[in-house]
Amino acid sequence: EGFSSVNFFLSLYRFQACVYFACVFQAMSCGIHYLASVFMAVTPNFVCGIPGNVSSVLFYNSSESSIEDIWTLWTSTENYIVVQLENGEIWELNQCSRSKREVSLDLAYEYKGNKSVFSCSDGFLYDDTKWKSTVVTQWDLVCDREWLAKLIQPTFMLGVLIGAVIFGDIADRVGRQRVIWFTSAGQFVFGIAVAFTFDYYSFVIVRFLLAMVSSGYLVVAFVYVTEFVGIKARTWASMHVHAFFAMGIMIVALVGFLVRTWWVYQIFLSISTLPFVLCCWMLPETPFWLLSEERYEDAQKVINVMARWNKVSTPCKVSELCSVQQDDLVSGRTGDNEVDMSSTKKHNILDLFCNWHIARRTITVWLIWFTGSLGYYVFSLSSVSLGGNEYLNLFLIGAVELPCYIIACIGMDKLGRRNTLIPFLILSALICVLIMFIPQDFNILIILANMAGKFSIGVAFGLIYLYTAELYPTIVRSLAVGSGSMMCRAGSVVAPFCVYLRSVWIFMPLLLVGIMALLSGILTIMLPETLGKPLTNTLMEATEMGRNKKSCSGKTPPAHSGATLEKIEMFGQERVSTEK
């Protein structure tokens, strides 16, 4: 009780602290690549290209010598520019078409005569006052090719989904260390390669591969650090990984402000994590995984290194850990045959719907995962469209996450998981409604309200990881968390399309997030509180937990002795894979 952020840092031994901060530093690169497209794929103001040399330009009552001087007056996509060529022809330039006036006696903005309409066969002219180059201007992803630009972020998120599944499984087979090596190097290599792609399709493919290794790293890094830190620090350890992810978003805003050419911007973002790539080869394999693979000598070597770093004179012996665990396993089997039969049975996703109580719980948990991810990315991706300084907006949207995870940890320990989740889900729904009533001229108030929305949805998003693991019994816990993670990634794939609905109605994304958050908050009321309750072992125990206020009546797993528990605490007893 009373465990805080300060206690978390004090609880880490020297070895674990070095490993932890090395891993979470690289988590910033995941935040960087996840949100890099907000500036890389910007669509600036544009009009059709000109079929000749321009002698004069007219925009309403303003006459200029070049189109570059007109962009400061451009206010709407419905605007058009009138240009007169050196040969005397007068053209009207729209965004996706251009018209040649049949009668060109004098240069005037309004014209009632006949016009011949042509396509933009000479390309487009872009406003480069903010961005010198983006992927949109590089490959003309506008008009009939606009849908290609809108697929950039969803295809990246699809790579996130696939990468998490693939590398999560590989990490269990070949070890966490090798996957961390590969995904770290992959983030750097693919990140640099994105900047040198030669067309749109190669760009999307390399970004897809970058998404896979970024997601793979984040998944495995969560498992890696939780297997090194103690049980008491595990919640805070996972939350601080989220915090470093948010710092990556802040770096995107800073680099975007300083660098306005998309491929240079991408290179700078990728180079920012180079220090970890150079030193990640020194990270050891986790003793937990080595023991599970029966590589006892390798596990002992890592334990000895940890002991030297932590200045422990008598490191624990692998043989002692194995003997104690085998004794407890035998006693557990003889004391509870029902648990043993349940644990040996193969389980699948249908077990999460084995009865009405568990099915209702599963649907609610999945909805929370989906809503948390949807709201997280809707607030993040739409921050650059709020008005004012888009770079400052994104920076603040990332910065507001840092305190929200501290609040989430404190709320979970003091109020409980459910009692913290419900108010913040409902609060995020109310904030979405509030934003709709704020006049569009009040930019500062709109930005502050969006920060509050990101804060509230961030608390719920960070909390659901641990809550899901506690709501389900041991026999299906991994299935529950894994399926919830899949719903989370589904939300991240849908989020960019949700943001695009601003073109239909500016408040449509907020309306959808608000409805989902309100529904999730109401359904969460029916979930049981898990604070202070032992983890359940069987589906029957998990069902009973939701029916009465007392602790589960079923038997719990055999407990280790205090001395042995202290020794094996650093290796972790429950592994929960969590990722953005």
Side-chain angles (χ1 to χ4, degrees):
E1 296 183 1
F3 197 78
S4 67
S5 183
V6 175
N7 290 331
F8 160 65
F9 290 113
L10 293 177
S11 67
L12 293 178
Y13 291 102
R14 182 184 303 175
F15 182 88
Q16 285 90 328
C18 292
V19 168
Y20 178 80
F21 285 109
C23 289
V24 297
F25 175 80
Q26 181 69 356
M28 288 193 298
S29 67
C30 300
I32 287 172
H33 295 305
Y34 277 39
L35 272 296
S37 67
V38 295
F39 296 131
M40 188 191 308
V42 170
T43 302
N45 297 324
F46 66 95
V47 293
C48 261
I50 307 169
N53 297 323
V54 177
S55 61
S56 59
V57 181
L58 185 64
F59 184 75
Y60 288 104
N61 296 325
S62 300
S63 180
E64 303 290 346
S65 60
S66 65
I67 292 181
E68 286 74 15
D69 301 325
I70 294 295
W71 294 124
T72 55
L73 306 175
W74 190 275
T75 57
S76 172
T77 58
E78 302 299 325
N79 295 149
Y80 63 90
I81 298 174
V82 179
V83 298
Q84 187 172 31
L85 304 185
E86 291 179 349
N87 61 8
E89 294 179 351
I90 297 178
W91 289 76
E92 292 181 8
L93 305 179
N94 295 286
Q95 285 203 322
C96 297
S97 66
R98 57 187 179 179
S99 304
K100 179 184 177 182
R101 294 179 179 178
E102 298 298 337
V103 179
S104 54
L105 296 178
D106 58 343
L107 184 62
Y109 195 74
E110 298 294 338
Y111 176 75
K112 301 298 183 181
N114 295 328
K115 294 182 287 188
S116 300
V117 180
F118 298 90
S119 62
C120 302
S121 57
D122 293 300
F124 300 87
L125 300 174
Y126 297 97
D127 176 10
D128 60 357
T129 54
K130 280 190 176 181
W131 277 82
K132 299 300 180 183
S133 172
T134 71
V135 295
V136 173
T137 64
Q138 180 89 16
W139 297 303
D140 289 335
L141 306 180
V142 293
C143 296
D144 58 342
R145 287 168 56 86
E146 181 184 9
W147 65 277
L148 294 174
K150 291 185 175 181
L151 282 179
I152 290 176
Q153 188 66 17
T155 52
F156 183 91
M157 289 303 181
L158 183 62
V160 168
L161 188 155
I162 296 175
V165 175
I166 292 177
F167 287 106
D169 180 65
I170 293 176
D172 287 335
R173 296 174 183 272
V174 304
R176 291 79 167 97
Q177 180 193 48
R178 294 179 182 177
V179 174
I180 284 181
W181 289 355
F182 179 80
T183 54
S184 299
Q187 283 188 84
F188 178 75
V189 172
F190 291 130
I192 296 294
V194 166
F196 295 98
T197 48
F198 52 88
D199 62 7
Y200 169 80
Y201 298 102
S202 62
F203 171 82
V204 170
I205 291 172
V206 176
R207 282 257 303 170
F208 184 85
L209 297 175
L210 175 61
M212 289 182 61
V213 294
S214 297
S215 174
Y217 177 84
L218 199 58
V219 170
V220 178
F222 267 108
V223 177
Y224 188 81
V225 297
T226 53
E227 290 182 356
F228 270 111
V229 300
I231 297 174
K232 289 184 178 180
R234 189 160 299 151
T235 299
W236 285 88
S238 64
M239 286 296 185
H240 281 83
V241 176
H242 288 301
F244 277 85
F245 184 96
M247 291 174 64
I249 299 177
M250 296 162 66
I251 292 175
V252 170
L254 179 61
V255 176
F257 175 74
L258 297 174
V259 183
R260 304 299 177 90
T261 301
W262 78 266
W263 60 273
V264 179
Y265 160 85
Q266 176 66 27
I267 291 175
F268 271 89
L269 290 178
S270 301
I271 289 177
S272 62
T273 56
L274 181 59
F276 178 80
V277 177
L278 298 177
C279 70
C280 69
W281 313 101
M282 296 183 290
L283 293 178
E285 183 57 79
T286 65
F288 194 97
W289 184 82
L290 293 172
L291 289 174
S292 69
E293 295 293 311
E294 299 182 355
R295 292 170 54 180
Y296 302 120
E297 292 184 4
D298 294 332
Q300 187 64 60
K301 291 178 181 178
V302 175
I303 293 173
N304 293 338
V305 172
M306 294 171 65
R308 288 197 299 271
W309 273 67
N310 297 332
K311 297 182 179 180
V312 176
S313 57
T314 56
C316 61
K317 302 295 183 182
V318 170
S319 56
E320 297 176 3
L321 297 179
C322 295
S323 62
V324 171
Q325 289 176 344
Q326 289 174 355
D327 292 343
D328 287 337
L329 184 61
V330 172
S331 63
R333 285 180 174 175
T334 56
D336 196 346
N337 292 326
E338 179 185 352
V339 173
D340 182 65
M341 291 294 293
S342 298
S343 61
T344 55
K345 175 187 173 182
K346 291 185 178 180
H347 296 274
N348 55 50
I349 198 72
L350 296 179
D351 289 306
L352 301 180
F353 299 88
C354 62
N355 59 56
W356 166 242
H357 294 280
I358 298 298
R360 185 178 61 187
R361 185 178 305 177
T362 299
I363 293 172
T364 302
V365 168
W366 281 4
L367 184 62
I368 297 171
W369 278 88
F370 182 87
T371 302
S373 180
L374 179 69
Y376 182 93
Y377 286 106
V378 164
F379 279 115
S380 297
L381 294 172
S382 61
S383 63
V384 296
S385 305
L386 298 177
N389 189 310
E390 58 265 43
Y391 307 104
L392 179 61
N393 293 350
L394 183 63
F395 184 88
L396 294 176
I397 285 292
V400 76
E401 287 189 56
L402 302 182
C404 91
Y405 296 130
I406 297 177
I407 297 297
C409 286
I410 295 175
M412 281 193 293
D413 291 340
K414 300 296 183 181
L415 303 177
R417 284 72 161 123
R418 183 187 62 181
N419 296 336
T420 302
L421 187 59
I422 293 172
F424 278 102
L425 281 172
I426 296 178
L427 177 62
S428 61
L430 295 177
I431 291 173
C432 289
V433 175
L434 175 64
I435 295 174
M436 299 181 190
F437 291 96
I438 301 176
Q440 291 300 296
D441 296 335
F442 291 60
N443 286 338
I444 296 179
L445 192 57
I446 291 175
I447 294 169
L448 291 175
N450 274 269
M451 289 177 63
K454 177 68 177 296
F455 180 93
S456 57
I457 205 72
V459 171
F461 192 32
L463 186 153
I464 189 60
Y465 294 105
L466 180 62
Y467 193 28
T468 301
E470 295 176 339
L471 283 172
Y472 290 88
T474 304
I475 56 176
V476 293
R477 186 168 296 127
S478 295
L479 273 173
V481 176
S483 62
S485 299
M486 293 297 292
M487 294 303 297
C488 164
R489 300 184 199 106
S492 67
V493 173
V494 172
F497 294 108
C498 186
V499 173
Y500 298 149
L501 292 176
R502 286 174 60 92
S503 60
V504 178
W505 183 42
I506 191 172
F507 296 124
M508 184 64 76
L510 291 173
L511 178 63
L512 295 177
V513 172
I515 292 174
M516 298 291 290
L518 180 62
L519 180 61
S520 301
I522 294 174
L523 292 178
T524 303
I525 297 175
M526 296 183 289
L527 294 179
E529 179 56 67
T530 59
L531 178 63
K533 294 184 178 180
L535 294 177
T536 56
N537 247 358
T538 66
L539 289 167
M540 183 179 297
E541 292 174 2
T543 303
E544 289 298 321
M545 180 174 61
R547 290 179 176 175
N548 53 63
K549 297 182 180 179
K550 296 182 180 181
S551 300
C552 298
S553 57
K555 296 182 180 180
T556 57
H560 293 280
S561 64
T564 307
L565 182 60
E566 291 178 0
K567 290 183 179 180
I568 67 173
E569 188 180 56
M570 68 181 71
F571 307 136
Q573 293 170 309
E574 295 288 346
R575 289 179 290 169
V576 178
S577 172
T578 58
E579 67 283 342
K580 287 282 182 190

